[in-house]
């Protein structure tokens, strides 16, 4: 049935106006407005924040008591369970904003239904004649409210089944019916089928807002029990609402996307709307670039797993679609200013992290160009194998690997394969693709299976946050509030028992923000509990993990809590040194430097940051000089407490992967450094002592790690280095002014001797070329030389191989050698003629090294590999003849 619609115009509003209008409306109804929570949630069941309710999930599941009864957000979200449809439809996105209002046992259906109607019709101005509601099959209560409170007639209220109108957090737990508000966009959006109506999958009857009435708890048998407190969770996509209000055909034509699409079209020299392939490309780029920028701003860095893998994939997909339009250079940076112009209000992190975003995206895009070239080489090798095998078909698994790892669209693989006379197994490719989609759906699927109540969440809910007094004191009196042994609360423990002890208040710092937990003792007149670590098992609950070594301890007992002060002071020095290093690294290496992780211990500090090249000795020395200047200045280290919103206007460094509350602690070294930090610090920089960087290493794409020491640990390092230098003087002679030159002379002398030795070895091997050829195996005109040599460098083996290839037209050479570290090294070379006949040196090495428990590979003409098990070298080398025979078809 087709319904008539009115032509009442809607006032055009920007997406920013709609976002503000929504939040202000519910704020006016008593809801607390929260800023958007991070894209990576504090939830072990989810890879990303996939909906507005995710940050409040512990409240809905009853794991934590909410601090307010009403809340509202515009939440940044990432979903990747249907990434292939992004750009192909009007509504699929990886990044989107979800407008939501939430009630935690406060208001319910009779309030939220008329509020939603009022917002859409009176505040936004949607035509009431175009609005419909869907409800769960037997939710008569919702039906009556839509009819009596809103005035919606029966023929505009639709009852749908569980798949459409019933929401659950998981197989068991909180759940309830929901009601979707539908907007009729008009016949021009219709699929044209005679039965097109509410519930049709086309874009005419568009779901705008979903109101979830969380009123039941479902047990393992499926039985529904009414909740004592009923909750509301609603979600409305900002992109979708904007498309309706702005009167466009889809989300990509709203002011959230269209400026990016237009800029991408200009770079590619294409006109949007004229070519379907180009239109798809610029839509994908606009979506993925928004997602990438927000992910990096939230502290996600490219990697090969987890959120970082998704980020890498999005950047590479963007670059690949750019190449499909003929853009053969890195171009994504040119679009970032457009993204910032659209989204930086209210998301200031895009501007604050602009340099990091730019550098990470540029690096990934450049890496993709190199990876694409590697993919071409792999495809050429696989096509050659397919032709040799006579199957004429390329494995769908290989095609999928090219797609997933190297960014090759299937169409490109098919085009290249067709030119080579080979077809692609699309069925196998589709199977691989579906398995990946299932994994993606599982990662985005909300589940309460892991996130559930336990002894720690129950204790946190009952006792609340543990009062932490450790900023001011290192010892104080307290009361034992709870004891947990083997995952169960107990009233008391005896000597020799390991347990976690929770106190009424504590001076012990619990591990958080990279700083290790305190150690020390809890004692009374008749008992002594040695604290080995202090942790946050749930929320802000503090637990002291350790062993009762004397007496008994029981809940309600008065005890004294004493932190190990010497250890605490060593931690303080290293933590404040971390802040100084963070600032100094930014000044020396560039403003793009941003913390990607840290660890602060009594013995050392570890600091991870985004940067794309090893630090030079000069850069390390300059960083140390800047830090030590601040130490010598003996500046006071001040702390202040303020609201998070207030801190954002002070120039303070906020780490976007951290989850900050409304009230934050600002740690400042006047005139130098200012960061949000809840850790323990020195009161004066002069207490830190000398800070030395002892190691700089790469730990991932664009991420560096430095290890450094401060205080007494630095002194011990200095003394150890001085002693080692004195020993060096004694061994090679000289003094501080001459020892370096003497060492360089010895190194040069050794290089000369090694070169002469290699030359002698090569002459000896070349003298034996004739013997090697005589002792070779001939397989239908192809010579196979498989020899185990002594400790010979790979370079010498290559030179020997070149000499043999000049003597034999079709030859395969497999050389094994035992290197200085005792490992087996394999080198295989094949002449051009042997390769034409089907020999693949890389596969020979791969098979032989694999049989030895090692690994290897390479190209048809050259392969290398090795194994730690050199004992099997001679035995395995004998199998080379059978491998070559198979490759030659013999």
């Amino acid at each position: 049935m087709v319904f008539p619609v009115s032509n009442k115009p809607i006032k055009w509003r920007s997406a920013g106006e709609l976002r503000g209008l929504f939040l202000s409306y519910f704020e006016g109804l008593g809801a607390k407005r929260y800023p958007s929570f991070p894209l990576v949630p504090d939830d072990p069941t989810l890879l990303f924040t996939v909906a507005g309710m995710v940050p409040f999930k512990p409240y809905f599941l009853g794991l934590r008591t909410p601090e307010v009864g009403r809340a509202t957000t515009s939440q940044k979200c990432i979903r990747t369970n249907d990434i292939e449809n992004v750009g192909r439809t009007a509504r699929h996105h990886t990044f989107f904003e979800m407008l939501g209002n939430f009630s935690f046992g406060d208001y319910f259906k009779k309030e939220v239904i008329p509020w939603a109607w009022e917002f859409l019709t009176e505040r936004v101005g949607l035509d009431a004649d175009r609005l419909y509601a869907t409800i769960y099959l037997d939710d008569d209560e919702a039906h009556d409210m839509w009819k009596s409170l809103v005035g919606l007639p029966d023929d505009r209220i639709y009852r749908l089944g569980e798949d459409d109108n019933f929401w659950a957090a998981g197989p068991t737990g909180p759940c309830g019916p929901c009601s979707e508000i539908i907007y009729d966009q008009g016949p021009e959006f219709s699929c044209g089928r005679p039965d097109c109506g509410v519930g049709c999958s086309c874009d005419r009857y568009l779901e705008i807002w979903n109101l979830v009435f969380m009123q039941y708890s479902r047990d393992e048998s499926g039985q529904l029990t009414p909740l004592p407190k009923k909750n509301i969770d609603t979600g409305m996509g900002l992109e979708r609402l904007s498309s309706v209000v702005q009167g466009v055909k889809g989300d990509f034509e709203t002011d959230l996307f269209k400026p990016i699409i237009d800029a991408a079209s200009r770079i590619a020299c294409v006109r949007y709307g004229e070519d379907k392939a180009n239109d798809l490309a610029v839509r994908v780029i606009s979506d993925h670039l928004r997602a990438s920028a927000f992910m990096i701003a939230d502290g996600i860095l490219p990697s090969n797993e987890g959120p970082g893998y998704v980020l890498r994939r999005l950047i590479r997909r963007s670059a690949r679609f750019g190449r499909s339009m003929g853009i053969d250079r890195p171009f994504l940076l040119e679009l970032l200013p457009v993204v910032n112009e659209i989204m930086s209000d209210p998301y200031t992190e895009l501007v604050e992290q602009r340099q990091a975003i730019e550098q990470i995206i540029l690096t990934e895009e450049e890496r993709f160009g190199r990876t694409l070239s590697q993919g071409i080489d792999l495809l050429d090798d696989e096509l050659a194998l397919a032709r040799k095998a006579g199957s004429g078909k390329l494995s769908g698994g290989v095609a999928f690997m090219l797609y997933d790892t190297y960014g090759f669209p299937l169409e490109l693989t098919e085009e290249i394969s067709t030119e080579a006379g080979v077809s692609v197994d699309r069925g196998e490719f589709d199977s691989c693709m579906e398995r990946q989609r299932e994994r993606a759906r599982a990662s985005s699927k909300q589940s309460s299976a892991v996130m559930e109540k336990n002894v720690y969440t129950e204790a946190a809910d009952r006792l609340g946050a543990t009062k932490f007094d450790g900023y001011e004191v290192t010892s104080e009196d307290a009361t034992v509030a709870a004891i947990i042994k083997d995952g169960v609360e107990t009233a008391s423990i005896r000597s020799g028992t390991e347990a976690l002890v929770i106190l009424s208040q504590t001076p012990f710092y619990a591990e958080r923000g990279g700083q290790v937990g305190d150690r020390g003792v809890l004692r009374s007149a008749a008992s002594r509990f040695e604290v080995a670590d202090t942790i946050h098992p749930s929320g802000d609950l503090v637990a002291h993990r350790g062993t009762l070594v004397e007496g008994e301890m029981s809940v309600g007992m008065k005890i004294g809590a004493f932190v190990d002060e010497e250890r605490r002071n060593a931690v303080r020095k290293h933590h404040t040194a971390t802040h100084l290093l963070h600032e100094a690294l930014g000044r020396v290496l560039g403003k793009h430097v941003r913390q990607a992780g840290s660890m602060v211990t009594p013995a050392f500090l570890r600091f991870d940051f985004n940067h794309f090249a090893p630090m030079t000795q000069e850069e390390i020395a300059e960083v140390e000089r800047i830090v030590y200047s601040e130490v010598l200045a003996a500046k006071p280290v001040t702390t202040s407490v303020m609201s998070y919103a207030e801190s954002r206007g002070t120039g303070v460094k906020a780490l976007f992967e951290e989850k900050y509350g409304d009230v934050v602690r600002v740690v400042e070294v006047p005139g130098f450094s200012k960061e949000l930090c809840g850790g323990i610090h020195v009161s004066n920089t002069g207490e830190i002592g000398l800070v030395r960087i002892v190691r700089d290493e790469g730990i991932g794409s664009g991420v560096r790690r430095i290890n450094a020491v401060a205080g007494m640990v630095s002194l011990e390092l200095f003394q150890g280095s001085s002693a080692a230098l004195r020993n060096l003087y004694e061994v090679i002679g000289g003094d501080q002014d001459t020892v370096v030159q003497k060492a360089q002379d010895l190194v040069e002398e050794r290089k000369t001797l090694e070169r002469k030795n290699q030359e002698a070895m090569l002459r000896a091997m070349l003298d034996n070329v004739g013997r090697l050829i005589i002792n070779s195996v001939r397989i239908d005109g192809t010579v196979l030389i498989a020899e185990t040599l002594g400790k010979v460098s790979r370079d010498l083996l290559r030179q020997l191989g070149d000499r043999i290839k000049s003597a034999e037209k079709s030859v395969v050479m497999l050389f094994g050698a035992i290197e200085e570290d005792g490992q087996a090294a394999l080198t295989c070379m094949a002449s051009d003629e042997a390769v034409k006949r089907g020999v693949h040196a890389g596969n020979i090495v791969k098979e032989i090294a694999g049989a030895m428990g090692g690994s290897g590979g390479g190209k048809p003409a050259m392969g290398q590999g090795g194994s730690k098990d050199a004992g099997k070298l001679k035995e395995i080398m004998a199998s080379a003849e059978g491998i070559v025979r198979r490759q030659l078809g013999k």
Side-chain angles (χ1 to χ4, degrees):
M1 178 177 180
V2 177
F3 299 91
V5 297
S6 69
N7 295 314
K8 180 180 177 181
I10 307 173
K11 178 184 176 182
W12 190 96
R13 297 180 191 270
S14 69
E17 286 181 274
L18 291 170
R19 183 194 300 117
L21 199 65
F22 180 89
L23 296 173
S24 297
Y25 176 76
F26 283 99
E27 200 171 27
L29 292 170
K32 178 176 179 178
R33 181 194 295 207
Y34 284 91
S36 179
F37 293 86
L39 285 170
V40 177
D42 187 15
D43 183 337
T45 71
L46 293 171
L47 195 64
F48 292 108
T49 299
V50 296
M53 63 78 62
V54 167
F56 304 114
K57 191 174 170 185
Y59 303 154
F60 292 130
L61 294 176
L63 303 181
R64 290 169 54 191
T65 301
E67 59 184 4
V68 295
R70 304 178 179 188
T72 185
T73 60
S74 180
Q75 176 61 46
K76 302 177 293 187
C77 299
I78 292 282
R79 288 184 187 173
T80 59
N81 57 317
D82 208 4
I83 193 172
E84 296 307 312
N85 277 329
V86 171
R88 300 183 188 277
T89 73
R91 311 292 173 192
H92 278 89
H93 308 295
T94 53
F95 173 87
F96 62 95
E97 289 181 78
M98 187 172 284
L99 304 173
N101 60 287
F102 310 92
S103 167
F104 313 115
D106 189 346
Y107 59 81
F108 200 54
K109 292 180 186 177
K110 70 176 182 179
E111 290 87 6
V112 75
I113 286 176
W115 287 346
W117 183 265
E118 179 186 42
F119 177 76
L120 290 177
T121 59
E122 296 185 20
R123 300 301 175 92
V124 175
L126 297 189
D127 187 349
D129 292 339
R130 290 176 176 247
L131 292 173
Y132 301 80
T134 67
I135 60 173
Y136 184 54
L137 284 172
D138 59 2
D139 192 357
D140 294 333
E141 183 182 35
H143 176 275
D144 293 343
M145 289 180 181
W146 277 114
K147 190 172 181 179
S148 63
L149 299 179
V150 171
L152 209 58
D154 285 330
D155 61 359
R156 285 166 59 194
I157 304 173
Y158 286 75
R159 296 178 185 266
L160 300 178
E162 185 165 344
D163 289 345
D164 295 297
N165 280 78
F166 198 91
W167 182 92
T172 62
C175 58
C178 57
S179 180
E180 295 177 347
I181 302 176
I182 309 296
Y183 182 76
D184 181 0
Q185 297 199 92
E188 64 271 26
F189 288 84
S190 174
C191 59
R193 294 199 305 267
D195 60 345
C196 181
V198 173
C200 183
S201 60
C202 73
D203 264 3
R204 174 168 182 176
Y205 297 96
L206 189 68
E207 176 205 335
I208 297 180
W209 203 346
N210 189 18
L211 315 178
V212 178
F213 311 131
M214 214 176 299
Q215 62 190 95
Y216 300 113
S217 179
R218 181 157 48 194
D219 62 23
E220 293 180 354
S221 68
Q223 182 69 31
L224 297 178
T225 304
L227 289 170
K229 289 187 176 181
K230 299 175 181 179
N231 305 311
I232 288 291
D233 158 31
T234 84
M236 174 164 54
L238 176 62
E239 292 79 5
R240 186 169 294 197
L241 178 63
S242 299
S243 73
V244 171
V245 172
Q246 294 174 16
V248 293
K249 293 182 179 179
D251 298 356
F252 288 102
E253 296 187 22
T254 66
D255 63 337
L256 289 167
F257 290 95
K258 195 56 165 57
I260 310 172
I261 287 174
D262 290 342
S265 299
R266 286 194 296 272
I267 292 172
C269 298
V270 301
R271 190 183 296 276
Y272 185 67
E274 291 187 349
D275 180 88
K276 289 184 177 180
N278 290 337
D279 290 351
L280 170 64
V282 293
R283 286 195 294 265
V284 170
I285 290 167
S286 67
D287 171 273
H288 288 7
L289 187 61
R290 289 199 330 156
S292 300
F294 274 97
M295 291 168 76
I296 297 169
D298 265 19
I300 300 170
L301 297 172
S303 69
N304 290 326
E305 59 184 11
Y309 173 74
V310 174
L311 171 61
R312 172 165 286 164
R313 187 178 177 207
L314 293 181
I315 295 173
R316 292 188 172 192
R317 285 191 96 236
S318 301
R320 190 246 292 173
F321 274 100
R323 285 175 177 254
S324 74
M325 295 187 294
I327 307 175
D328 58 358
R329 57 178 173 79
F331 70 97
L332 295 175
L333 289 194
E334 299 172 46
L335 299 175
L336 280 173
V338 186
V339 176
N340 289 348
E341 185 177 349
I342 298 169
M343 305 298 296
S344 60
D345 181 12
Y347 300 111
T348 57
E349 60 264 35
L350 292 175
V351 176
E352 293 161 357
Q353 300 298 320
R354 178 180 58 82
Q355 287 191 317
I357 295 169
E358 289 177 351
Q359 193 152 12
I360 290 168
I361 287 179
L362 176 61
T363 299
E364 278 300 306
E365 196 173 2
E366 290 175 338
R367 287 174 185 265
F368 171 74
R370 294 191 290 272
T371 302
L372 201 62
S373 299
Q374 295 169 357
I376 289 288
D377 291 340
L378 174 63
L379 179 56
D380 288 343
D381 290 346
E382 293 293 339
L383 290 173
L385 289 174
R387 289 195 300 270
K388 179 65 179 177
S391 66
K393 181 167 286 191
L394 181 72
S395 160
V398 171
F400 180 76
M401 180 178 67
L402 286 165
Y403 163 81
D404 193 48
T405 303
Y406 295 94
F408 273 55
L410 177 61
E411 294 76 15
L412 176 59
T413 300
E414 287 182 321
E415 181 180 335
I416 296 173
S417 299
T418 300
E419 292 172 357
V422 175
S423 63
V424 177
D425 187 339
R426 290 206 66 155
E428 186 182 357
F429 177 89
D430 292 339
S431 296
C432 292
M433 178 69 77
E434 185 56 34
R435 285 195 293 271
Q436 187 196 64
R437 285 173 177 158
E438 286 298 326
R439 290 192 297 269
R441 290 188 191 106
S443 71
S444 292
K445 190 176 182 180
Q446 296 183 31
S447 167
S448 60
V450 178
M451 196 175 184
E452 58 187 11
K453 278 193 173 183
N454 55 42
V455 65
Y456 306 112
T457 60
E458 290 177 351
D461 203 37
R462 185 180 77 250
L463 301 173
T466 305
K467 184 174 182 287
F468 174 62
D469 297 322
Y471 293 132
E472 293 80 28
V473 299
T474 55
S475 64
E476 67 177 331
D477 294 332
T479 301
V480 177
I483 301 173
I484 299 173
K485 176 192 172 187
D486 298 329
V488 178
E489 280 203 56
T490 183
S492 63
I493 54 174
R494 293 183 177 182
S495 178
T497 303
E498 295 182 1
L500 285 93
V501 176
I502 299 168
L503 303 178
S504 55
Q505 67 265 357
T506 183
F508 283 73
Y509 182 86
E511 181 173 354
R512 181 172 281 179
Q515 180 178 323
V516 296
D518 278 330
R519 296 177 182 174
V521 296
L522 311 178
R523 64 173 182 253
S524 67
S527 66
R528 178 184 177 88
F529 184 91
E530 293 187 352
V531 179
D533 195 10
T534 311
I535 63 172
H536 284 290
S538 178
D540 290 324
L541 188 74
V542 174
H544 308 76
R545 176 185 287 139
T547 304
L548 187 66
V549 295
E550 294 177 15
E552 295 186 3
M553 178 178 283
S554 59
V555 175
M557 176 184 287
K558 303 293 184 182
I559 58 94
F562 302 89
V563 174
D564 181 338
E565 288 195 58
E566 183 178 352
R567 183 176 182 274
R568 162 76 75 83
N569 287 333
V571 173
R572 290 179 192 267
K573 292 177 172 63
H574 282 107
H575 201 155
T576 309
T578 302
H579 285 222
L580 299 181
L581 283 166
H582 190 181
E583 177 63 27
L585 286 165
R587 295 187 181 192
V588 173
L589 302 179
K591 293 182 179 180
H592 64 276
V593 167
R594 183 185 58 178
Q595 180 173 333
S598 69
M599 183 176 183
V600 180
T601 77
F604 69 95
L605 70 89
R606 188 179 72 206
F607 186 78
D608 302 339
F609 59 99
N610 56 291
H611 187 56
F612 303 91
M615 293 178 67
T616 66
Q617 288 301 313
E618 292 76 17
E619 288 170 338
I620 291 174
E622 180 61 13
V623 168
E624 291 177 333
R625 187 197 67 76
I626 292 173
V627 170
Y628 197 48
S629 295
E630 294 301 305
V631 172
L632 291 177
K635 293 180 178 179
V637 179
T638 64
T639 60
S640 55
V641 177
M642 62 184 71
S643 71
Y644 178 68
E646 182 183 359
S647 73
R648 296 293 295 274
T650 65
V652 67
K653 286 181 181 175
L655 310 179
F656 287 98
E657 68 272 23
E658 291 291 329
K659 300 169 178 65
Y660 298 108
D662 289 340
V663 177
V664 294
R665 189 166 177 265
V666 179
V667 177
E668 180 176 6
V669 177
F672 186 74
S673 170
K674 186 186 294 186
E675 291 191 32
L676 298 187
C677 182
I680 305 292
H681 292 273
V682 299
S683 59
N684 187 289
T685 59
E687 300 173 34
I688 298 172
L690 182 63
V691 178
R692 290 292 308 275
I693 296 174
V694 297
R695 181 180 301 153
D696 164 50
E697 58 184 335
I699 60 169
S701 175
V703 182
R704 307 293 302 175
R705 169 175 291 170
I706 59 170
N707 288 341
V709 293
M712 293 302 294
V713 184
S714 183
L715 173 63
E716 292 167 3
L717 176 67
F718 175 76
Q719 291 175 332
S721 299
S722 297
L725 189 58
R726 286 193 299 271
N727 291 337
L728 186 61
Y729 296 161
E730 295 176 5
V731 171
I732 68 175
D735 53 26
Q736 183 171 337
D737 296 329
T738 62
V739 68
V740 173
Q741 186 58 52
K742 283 182 173 289
Q744 288 175 339
D745 292 343
L746 288 172
V747 170
E748 288 301 320
E749 183 178 346
R750 177 180 176 179
K751 287 180 179 179
T752 299
L753 292 173
E754 288 179 343
R755 186 172 61 253
K756 289 180 178 179
N757 184 48
Q758 286 195 346
E759 290 172 353
M761 292 174 67
L762 179 61
R763 283 195 296 272
M765 286 191 295
L766 293 179
D767 290 342
N768 288 325
V769 166
R771 179 187 63 80
L772 292 174
I773 294 176
I774 291 172
N775 294 335
S776 65
V777 176
R778 293 185 178 269
I779 307 170
D780 194 27
T782 295
V783 175
L784 168 63
I785 298 173
E787 288 283 336
T788 303
L789 306 175
K791 295 180 179 178
V792 182
S793 72
R794 294 179 189 247
D795 183 57
L796 284 179
L797 291 178
R798 282 193 292 269
Q799 292 184 54
L800 176 62
D802 290 340
R803 174 63 65 89
I804 294 174
K805 281 193 287 187
S806 66
E808 292 287 342
K809 185 176 182 182
S810 181
V811 61
V812 185
M813 297 155 285
L814 177 65
F815 296 124
I818 300 175
E819 298 185 325
E820 290 185 4
D821 58 4
Q823 298 191 37
L826 294 167
T827 300
C828 186
M829 291 170 280
S831 65
D832 292 343
E833 181 62 28
V835 170
K836 289 180 182 178
R837 295 182 180 185
V839 171
H840 194 296
N843 289 343
I844 294 174
V845 171
K846 182 178 181 180
E847 186 168 343
I848 290 181
M852 298 169 62
S855 61
K859 296 184 177 182
M862 168 69 81
Q864 290 185 324
S867 169
K868 293 181 180 180
D869 187 3
K872 297 182 179 179
L873 183 59
K874 290 185 178 180
E875 174 188 346
I876 298 297
M877 289 281 287
S879 65
E881 181 178 349
I883 298 172
V884 174
R885 285 187 178 278
R886 287 201 310 272
Q887 290 188 349
L888 293 172
K890 302 300 177 183

